[in-house]
């Protein structure tokens, strides 16, 4: 008996996206931050000044590099929209302005040898922190708006659509995780000493940490899930690109339904990793010294991802078998 099931698509993926129309202001700030990163990289080897256990130019360096990849990703995504382009363009311009405000404050504070985040030691520091906080909130709203608009445009095949939309949404969630760092700690409530908020959980900020990044090697650090979440915007689509490249040699990956299923697994695993890293940080556990609960959580997450991938590949085999009957 002939089956009515359509055979799976087994052709290598081709570009289903519109020609790139880059959001130029976002490209310009990426170029500017590249210059800033180059300056900070050189300056950190010249300046002997330390702030919170790191060279005074480490923070501008890592923020500049982060903004480069963040801006390029949003510039490309906004250029792919077929609907609400003007709204997205304005949102992109708002992102540029908020990033510039944040970097001016960060670089200015570094140049004067003081901290930018959590600093309420002087009226000027309070004003700068308030302005930066407002800018970050507006940045989050603008990023959320563009993420929502991605659901109203054709973004290529089903796999690319999953990767792009999930990456954008998880990036917005990662941005929001930054708010976990803004509340005062119990020690600060008792004696603020000009500081409100902290990166580190369980210990004061400024202790031993990873080079340049500064992530605590002795306590929990909320910067880690914040950073990982923000860059879902790049990591998940890149994972999909890897699958597409592999499809040139691996026939099973030429099926768009299979790639879409794997893209969902990548997104879900990434979200699980964000949750695990947040839980680890909130328990005051260092990223370099995970305890049994964290290791068990990571193993469960990995096994779940492998099992789900096996089910997706098995479903592909079943579709092929039905199609050839």
């Amino acid at each position: 008996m002939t089956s009515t099931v359509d055979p799976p698509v087994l052709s290598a993926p081709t570009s289903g996206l519109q020609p790139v129309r880059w959001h130029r202001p976002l490209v310009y700030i990426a170029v500017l931050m590249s210059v800033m990163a180059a300056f900070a990289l050189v300056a950190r080897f010249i300046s002997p000044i330390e702030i919170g256990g790191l060279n005074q130019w480490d923070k501008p360096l890592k923020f500049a590099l982060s903004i480069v990849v963040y801006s390029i990703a949003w510039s490309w995504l906004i250029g792919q929209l077929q609907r609400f382009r003007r709204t997205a363009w304005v949102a992109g311009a708002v992102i540029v302005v908020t990033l510039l405000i944040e970097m001016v404050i960060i670089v200015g504070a570094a140049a004067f040898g003081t901290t930018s985040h959590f600093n309420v030691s002087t009226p000027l520091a309070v004003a700068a922190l308030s302005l930066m906080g407002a800018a970050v909130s507006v940045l989050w709203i603008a990023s959320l708006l563009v993420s929502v608009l991605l659901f109203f445009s054709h973004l290529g095949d089903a796999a690319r659509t999953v990767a792009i939309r999930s990456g954008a949404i998880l990036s917005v969630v990662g941005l929001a995780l930054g708010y976990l760092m803004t509340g005062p700690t119990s020690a600060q409530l008792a004696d603020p000493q000009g500081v409100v908020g902290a990166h580190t959980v369980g210990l004061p900020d400024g202790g031993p940490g990873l080079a340049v990044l500064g992530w605590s090697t002795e306590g929990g650090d909320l910067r880690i899930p914040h950073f990982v979440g923000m860059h879902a915007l790049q990591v998940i689509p890149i994972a999909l690109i890897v699958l597409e490249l592999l499809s040139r040699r691996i026939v099973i990956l030429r099926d768009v339904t299979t790639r879409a299923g794997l893209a969902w697994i990548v997104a879900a695993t990434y979200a699980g990793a964000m949750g695990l890293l947040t839980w680890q940080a909130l328990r005051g556990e260092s990223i370099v010294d995970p305890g049994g609960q964290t290791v068990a959580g990571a193993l469960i997450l990995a096994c779940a991802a492998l099992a789900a991938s096996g089910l997706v590949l098995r479903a592909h085999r079943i579709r092929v078998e039905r199609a050839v009957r």
Side-chain angles (χ1 to χ4, degrees):
M1 182 176 65
T2 303
S3 172
T4 59
V5 178
D6 292 332
V9 178
L10 293 178
S11 58
T14 57
S15 177
L17 301 179
Q18 298 294 320
V20 176
R21 296 182 299 272
W22 298 95
H23 186 284
R24 291 188 178 182
L26 280 165
V27 173
Y28 296 154
I29 192 175
V31 173
L32 179 61
M33 289 301 105
S34 297
V35 175
M36 181 66 237
F39 168 80
L41 181 61
V42 173
R44 74 177 303 276
F45 290 106
I46 298 173
S47 172
I49 299 174
E50 288 194 355
I51 304 172
L54 293 174
N55 185 274
Q56 71 179 125
W57 294 107
D58 280 347
K59 190 166 191 173
L61 172 60
K62 60 185 180 181
F63 268 78
L65 291 174
S66 181
I67 288 174
V68 169
V69 294
Y70 189 78
S71 300
I72 289 295
W74 276 125
S75 176
W76 181 79
L77 287 174
I78 290 173
Q80 296 299 327
L81 294 175
Q82 291 92 50
R83 301 180 62 190
F84 306 107
R85 292 177 187 171
R86 184 176 295 276
T87 301
W89 195 97
V90 172
V94 169
I95 290 174
V96 170
V97 173
T98 56
L99 290 175
L100 280 174
I101 290 172
E102 185 176 23
M103 278 304 294
V104 166
I105 294 172
I106 289 171
V107 173
F112 282 98
T114 187
T115 58
S116 51
H117 290 71
F118 318 132
N119 187 349
V120 293
S121 59
T122 67
L124 179 60
V126 171
L129 182 62
S130 299
L131 177 59
M132 186 161 54
V136 170
S137 295
V138 174
L139 168 66
W140 186 85
I141 293 170
S143 299
L144 176 62
L145 174 58
V146 180
S147 297
V148 171
L149 294 181
L150 290 172
F151 286 80
F152 294 92
S153 286
H154 174 69
L155 300 172
D157 62 30
R160 293 180 183 184
T161 298
V162 169
I164 291 172
R165 290 175 179 173
S166 62
I169 291 298
L170 288 178
S171 177
V172 172
V173 174
L175 271 175
L177 290 176
Y179 288 102
L180 293 174
M181 296 180 269
T182 59
T185 65
S186 55
Q188 291 167 356
L189 289 173
D191 183 15
Q193 295 187 354
V195 180
V196 175
H199 301 124
T200 311
V201 178
L203 295 170
D205 279 348
L210 298 177
V212 181
L213 293 172
W215 297 345
S216 178
T217 54
E218 294 186 346
D221 200 311
L222 291 165
R223 286 173 291 189
I224 299 171
H226 175 56
F227 174 86
V228 171
M230 277 185 60
H231 293 292
L233 188 66
Q234 296 86 35
V235 174
I236 297 177
I238 287 173
L240 189 277
I241 291 172
V242 171
L243 289 176
E244 291 186 349
L245 292 174
L246 289 174
S247 71
R248 297 175 182 178
R249 293 183 175 273
I250 303 175
V251 175
I252 195 171
L253 295 179
R254 296 178 188 173
D255 177 13
V256 65
T257 303
T258 299
R259 290 199 308 277
L262 294 175
W264 274 115
I265 293 168
V266 170
T269 303
Y270 202 93
M274 288 169 55
L276 184 63
L277 288 169
T278 304
W279 180 52
Q280 181 188 32
L282 289 173
R283 288 185 289 117
E285 184 179 273
S286 171
I287 187 69
V288 300
D289 187 24
Q293 290 179 310
T294 303
V295 172
L299 288 174
I300 291 170
L301 187 62
C303 289
L306 288 173
S309 299
L311 291 175
V312 168
L313 297 177
R314 182 174 181 274
H316 168 83
R317 188 182 65 184
I318 292 173
R319 289 196 304 275
V320 171
E321 290 174 351
R322 288 177 177 176
V324 299
R325 285 176 185 173

